[in-house]
Amino acid sequence: MRLTKSTDLALRTIMRLAVTGAEPCTARQVAGEMQVPYSHLAKVAARLQHLGLIETRRGRGGGLTLTATGRTASVGQLVREFEGVGDVVDCEGDAPCPLRQGCRLRMALRRAQEAFLASLDPLTVDDLVASPTGPVLLGLVGRAPGLSP
């Protein structure tokens, strides 16, 4: 299974916010540190805000901050929210698979997907930023491409 870029960015964004605590940072700053387009990060941040995982404030002293809910959020649930529900393969699409009526692969892939997500369920954002990841993330803070460390 491969996660979408939005899911990947959502995970990296909340991890980034987790290491700086209550100190807000701008979406442009996070986009620069993660080396992604600002517009993509802004869409992901809006979704994270809608889910109650981050807070966004405009203006001077504003920015993105992780909520208490975001800090203890299940990684598995976050992946489900961003990936949606659905089969790993599209058996019904434009050209339906002729095996779909009696296929055992579809159910095996569904079970594998559920096992993958279940293995992420006990992990929280706090777990993801424990050492050694947290210190690496802190090394990225305030550093955008083209700037010296």
Side-chain angles (χ1 to χ4, degrees), residues 12-111:
R12 291 189 292 146
T13 298
I14 60 173
M15 289 169 64
R16 163 56 178 87
L17 296 176
V19 297
T20 54
E23 180 183 323
C25 57
T26 68
R28 288 199 189 280
Q29 179 183 357
V30 175
E33 293 167 1
M34 298 294 168
Q35 300 180 14
V36 298
Y38 166 76
S39 59
H40 193 186
L41 187 111
K43 289 176 188 175
V44 167
R47 182 92 185 273
L48 289 169
Q49 180 186 21
H50 177 74
L51 294 171
L53 303 176
I54 69 169
E55 289 180 353
T56 61
R57 279 177 263 158
R58 293 181 178 256
R60 189 172 184 88
L64 310 175
T65 54
L66 190 64
T67 64
T69 301
R71 188 167 290 286
T72 59
S74 162
V75 174
Q77 187 58 40
L78 180 65
V79 170
R80 283 182 189 88
E81 290 288 345
F82 272 81
E83 293 293 317
V85 293
D87 290 326
V88 175
V89 294
D90 185 12
C91 301
E92 306 292 336
D94 294 336
C97 177
L99 301 175
R100 70 185 179 279
Q101 298 302 322
C103 183
R104 297 180 76 191
L105 177 61
R106 185 177 190 178
M107 289 307 296
L109 291 173
R110 184 174 290 147
R111 283 191 305 275

Side-chain angles (χ1 to χ4, degrees), residues 114-133:
E114 289 169 6
F116 170 74
L117 293 169
S119 72
L120 295 175
D121 283 337
L123 291 173
T124 66
V125 173
D126 275 343
D127 294 332
L128 294 179
V129 297
S131 189
T133 306

